Amino acid sequence: MNKIMSLNLSEQEQLRRESLQKLRDLGIDPYPAALYPVNTLSNEIEANFEEGKKVIVAGRLMSRRIMGKASFAEAQDAEGRVQLYFNRDEICEGEDKTLYNTVFKKLLDIGDFIGVEGDLFTTQVGEKSIKVKKFVLLSKSLKPLPLPKTDNEGKVHDAFTDPEMRYRQRYVDLVVNPHVKETFITRTKVMNEMRNFFNDKGYFEVETPILQPIPGGAAARPFITHHNALDMPLYLRIANELYLKRLIVGGFDGVYEFAKDFRNEGMDRTHNPEFTVMEIYVAYKDYNWMMDFTEEMLERVALSVHGKTDLNVGNKEISFKRPFKRISMTDSIKEFTGFDITDKSVDELATWCKNNGIEVDDSMGKGKLIDEIFGEKCEGNYIQPTFITDYPKEMSPLCKAHRDNPELTERFELMVNGKEIANAYTELNDPIDQRERFEEQMKLSAKGDDEAMFIDQDFLRALEYGMPPTSGMGIGIDRLVMLMTNQSSIQEVLFFPQMKLETFSAEENLGPELNENEQLIFDILSKENPIELSVLKDAAGLSNKQWDKGIKGLTKHGLTKVTKTDNSLMVDVV
């Protein structure tokens, strides 16, 4: 271990590194490269148990009960745990019992990956187990797992439950809290079932750019970067809408994409700056068709994942059985506030907001004000799936005007459990109207609205070539998975949610700070180790006092150790 790699180690970490070296001294590679021929998983043993069947398994050592020349242990693989029975004389048939007495009993630690060959058998208490014939170390664990402990009364202590620790060290969370894995398995099932639904309908999965010259398709604050070779700014996409519509222009009848989007905005229990959405666009359809399509898809997802449409979410029961309730935004606001937003001016809307405890500022246009009213007064009331339809034109710059009322648009948002999870339009395909909408957005930007849309000239050019009547829908995968897994925080459905930067001390990053004499001794050791103590002292050329302080300092830092042999004292790097 060199200075850069060394850390302030706990006693357990130091002991594990000592075991690591002892394994190497025995000629055992603690990190072998060769394939290990696993042929059975723990759940298969449970499901297809045959007494005496030969199996090869691998996994983490999670518990161990040593009883003289016989021991029991548990290994955890991707599917669960299996009990292992170790017998010294079965493993070590000859006189040399080192593999059991030293390697298994003393040098293996909880968390190590091992491979095991053996025969299935049932213990006297009925536990399906493996009688180990051979075992091999596959990877040495240098940090102890924070395993919970259960007392005689069944109470769990020292559980790994701190949210920040769990999110930062998800790899540990998955090992010691196996139920967490089920959330992410369900996430994949949800996305797979959506894909199956779209593919069964004949729609085509595509990929579009993440780095974009113009952050279009949504009203949001983007992340900005710079492309050195092209010497131009680029934006992480806030939506993939405009590229998918270009593909409709190009002749695809239906395209969809599961996309990573990025928005440089706030973080809370339902928002992460990096998130997953699915957007789909289908030619010759409108938003009425898309409402039917969306509720059909969600009913199918619920049935596929849970086998039922009624799901428990917190203390509520939410039903995904079709059909879902539908109500216009104007009627929703009127229902919950008594205020009719129809034909109201910006000043009238702003005054109402101020009088009803809603914060506003001068940059807000009509659409933003109406959005604030709905978000504050209405959105949280919709627990059961509900389509909010017919949004005011100012709120929807990419949406076609309503066929019966040009002040409204053919748009819906799907609310579930008080939050929006889907957004859809009858898409605007009039290039002149679209240009005017973009220009209105630029006026809002000039007033200080940093979420107003940019003008995308290439998208306007695409529309001028002609886009057929189209409906598009986007659905937030993270929020949908929260519902499907009964989670109240988006962090629980993301493997690695965004966190504040974790800070490490200089000693943790670079190793302990060495003084001049310690560094001199360590540099010599780094080139040749182990080395006789007397040879090392002569090579350092230090006074007795300098030498004594230097070698003791290195030992205190956990960088070196001195061991006695038959003829001399040897110094080695830990």
Side-chain angles (χ1 to χ4, degrees):
M1 181 191 303
N2 60 35
K3 176 189 172 188
I4 298 300
M5 293 172 60
S6 67
L7 304 171
N8 243 351
L9 302 177
S10 68
E11 182 180 358
Q12 286 194 54
E13 289 172 316
Q14 290 178 22
L15 290 172
R16 286 177 182 237
R17 279 164 173 75
E18 290 173 10
S19 295
L20 181 76
Q21 187 56 51
K22 289 174 182 176
L23 287 164
R24 287 182 166 137
D25 293 343
L26 288 169
I28 297 172
D29 183 354
Y31 305 103
L35 170 150
Y36 189 75
V38 175
N39 64 14
T40 307
L41 295 173
S42 57
N43 63 335
E44 296 169 342
I45 291 173
E46 183 68 28
N48 306 304
F49 183 82
E50 293 179 29
E51 197 79 26
K53 180 181 178 181
K54 296 186 181 302
V55 296
I56 304 174
V57 301
R60 279 188 189 272
L61 187 65
M62 296 300 285
S63 69
R64 187 171 47 171
R65 304 186 299 281
I66 296 174
M67 301 172 289
K69 68 176 185 178
S71 300
F72 283 97
E74 279 187 310
Q76 179 172 296
D77 64 13
E79 298 298 332
R81 292 192 184 189
V82 61
Q83 180 166 273
L84 310 174
Y85 172 70
F86 291 82
N87 183 286
R88 182 189 67 189
D89 298 329
E90 290 273 358
I91 294 169
C92 310
E93 294 181 345
E95 294 297 318
D96 185 359
K97 307 299 182 183
T98 302
L99 189 60
Y100 180 81
N101 288 340
T102 302
V103 176
F104 174 75
K105 291 174 68 174
K106 298 178 181 178
L107 301 183
L108 288 190
D109 291 291
I110 301 303
D112 290 353
F113 281 90
I114 59 172
V116 165
E117 295 182 42
D119 304 332
L120 297 183
F121 81 107
T122 307
T123 66
Q124 292 180 350
V125 295
E127 183 81 20
K128 295 171 183 176
S129 307
I130 300 174
K131 184 180 293 181
V132 179
K133 301 295 184 181
K134 296 179 182 178
F135 79 91
V136 61
L137 176 63
L138 298 177
S139 183
K140 182 69 181 166
S141 169
L142 299 183
K143 276 189 173 292
L145 290 168
L147 288 170
K149 302 173 181 63
T150 305
D151 62 22
N152 294 332
E153 298 178 358
K155 295 180 180 177
V156 176
H157 303 275
D158 300 327
F160 189 64
T161 56
D162 179 75
E164 182 169 346
M165 292 288 288
R166 289 180 52 240
Y167 303 153
R168 287 194 187 280
Q169 300 183 38
R170 183 69 83 185
Y171 39 88
V172 175
D173 188 30
L174 291 164
V175 174
V176 302
N177 296 319
H179 64 276
V180 171
K181 189 175 181 181
E182 293 304 314
T183 296
F184 295 99
I185 291 172
T186 299
R187 182 186 178 103
T188 297
K189 288 179 178 178
V190 167
M191 295 174 71
N192 284 346
E193 190 57 37
M194 291 174 71
R195 276 194 174 94
N196 292 339
F197 180 73
F198 301 144
N199 293 341
D200 289 347
K201 301 284 187 182
Y203 304 137
F204 192 64
E205 184 169 10
V206 298
E207 294 177 285
T208 62
I210 292 175
L211 286 175
Q212 301 180 353
I214 293 174
R221 183 185 302 166
F223 286 94
I224 306 173
T225 186
H226 186 83
H227 193 292
N228 290 334
L230 296 175
D231 191 23
M232 62 181 283
L234 288 173
Y235 302 85
L236 292 181
R237 71 176 166 208
I238 56 175
N240 50 346
E241 175 172 345
L242 302 188
Y243 283 94
L244 294 175
K245 288 181 183 177
R246 286 172 169 94
L247 297 178
I248 298 295
V249 171
F252 286 95
D253 277 352
V255 291
Y256 71 93
E257 180 178 18
F258 286 88
K260 282 288 187 185
D261 286 351
F262 307 84
R263 296 182 184 179
N264 196 358
E265 300 170 348
M267 294 170 56
D268 57 31
R269 295 176 71 82
T270 58
H271 293 87
N272 194 66
E274 175 184 347
F275 58 99
T276 304
V277 298
M278 186 292 307
E279 292 200 32
I280 184 167
Y281 292 82
V282 185
Y284 312 112
K285 308 298 183 186
D286 66 5
Y287 80 139
N288 292 307
W289 177 90
M290 188 61 80
M291 277 188 268
D292 295 339
F293 180 85
T294 301
E295 61 188 13
E296 180 186 356
M297 175 193 71
L298 290 174
E299 182 182 65
R300 174 167 162 173
V301 167
L303 286 169
S304 174
V305 173
H306 295 289
K308 58 183 181 179
T309 55
D310 292 352
L311 309 181
N312 292 322
V313 179
N315 59 0
K316 313 176 192 80
E317 184 174 82
I318 293 177
S319 175
F320 285 93
K321 184 169 180 59
R322 293 181 286 170
F324 299 166
K325 178 182 176 180
R326 305 179 186 192
I327 184 172
S328 73
M329 173 165 275
T330 300
D331 288 343
S332 175
I333 291 175
K334 193 184 300 182
E335 177 183 351
F336 289 106
T337 70
F339 181 53
D340 188 351
I341 61 173
T342 306
D343 298 329
K344 292 296 187 293
S345 68
V346 171
D347 288 342
E348 289 173 311
L349 291 168
T351 299
W352 190 92
C353 286
K354 291 173 185 176
N355 292 339
N356 287 272
I358 299 175
E359 291 186 14
V360 298
D361 61 59
D362 293 340
S363 72
M364 290 182 173
K366 210 172 171 182
K368 202 80 175 281
L369 291 166
I370 294 170
D371 192 32
E372 288 294 318
I373 295 171
F374 179 80
E376 289 285 333
K377 303 297 184 181
C378 309
E379 186 175 291
N381 296 299
Y382 293 107
I383 305 303
Q384 299 302 321
T386 304
F387 291 113
I388 308 298
T389 67
D390 303 342
Y391 281 52
K393 188 174 183 179
E394 293 82 3
M395 293 181 66
S396 312
L398 296 170
C399 186
K400 188 184 284 286
H402 198 283
R403 66 196 74 177
D404 298 323
N405 183 348
E407 295 301 311
L408 302 177
T409 56
E410 297 199 349
R411 174 186 179 186
F412 73 77
E413 288 188 317
L414 176 61
M415 302 293 165
V416 185
N417 200 32
K419 291 291 181 183
E420 174 240 326
I421 67 165
N423 185 25
Y425 306 154
T426 300
E427 299 295 338
L428 179 58
N429 60 345
D430 178 343
I432 296 173
D433 189 359
Q434 181 64 83
R435 181 177 294 278
E436 291 172 353
R437 305 273 194 98
F438 276 150
E439 289 170 351
E440 285 298 316
Q441 288 288 299
M442 292 306 293
K443 292 176 184 177
L444 291 175
S445 179
K447 289 174 65 178
D449 186 347
D450 56 8
E451 294 184 355
M453 291 188 188
F454 288 51
I455 294 181
D456 188 333
Q457 298 289 355
D458 179 69
F459 175 66
L460 290 171
R461 179 169 57 193
L463 288 186
E464 288 171 351
Y465 281 104
M467 185 175 84
T470 298
S471 183
M473 184 267 290
I475 187 164
I477 297 300
D478 306 321
R479 289 188 183 178
L480 177 60
V481 174
M482 286 171 65
L483 292 168
M484 292 291 165
T485 57
N486 194 14
Q487 298 291 346
S488 60
S489 171
I490 195 171
Q491 287 83 8
E492 293 291 348
V493 301
L494 302 174
F495 271 127
F496 304 104
Q498 188 64 50
M499 307 287 288
K500 286 184 178 179
L501 183 65
E502 187 174 8
T503 58
F504 293 91
S505 68
E507 190 165 289
E508 288 174 308
N509 283 320
L510 301 175
E513 186 175 345
L514 305 184
N515 64 36
E516 185 178 349
N517 294 333
E518 290 169 345
Q519 188 67 59
L520 173 64
I521 298 169
F522 192 81
D523 288 343
I524 297 169
L525 264 175
S526 298
K527 296 172 184 174
E528 182 183 351
N529 70 89
I531 185 173
E532 282 191 37
L533 185 68
S534 59
V535 173
L536 178 59
K537 182 179 179 182
D538 291 342
L542 298 172
S543 69
N544 288 337
K545 186 175 181 180
Q546 290 173 324
W547 161 257
D548 189 51
K549 284 186 176 181
I551 194 67
K552 285 181 178 178
L554 290 175
T555 304
K556 182 179 179 181
H557 289 314
L559 296 178
T560 61
K561 64 177 180 178
V562 180
T563 54
K564 188 175 182 180
T565 64
D566 292 339
N567 301 316
S568 63
L569 293 173
M570 302 296 293
V571 185
D572 200 356
V573 174
V574 176

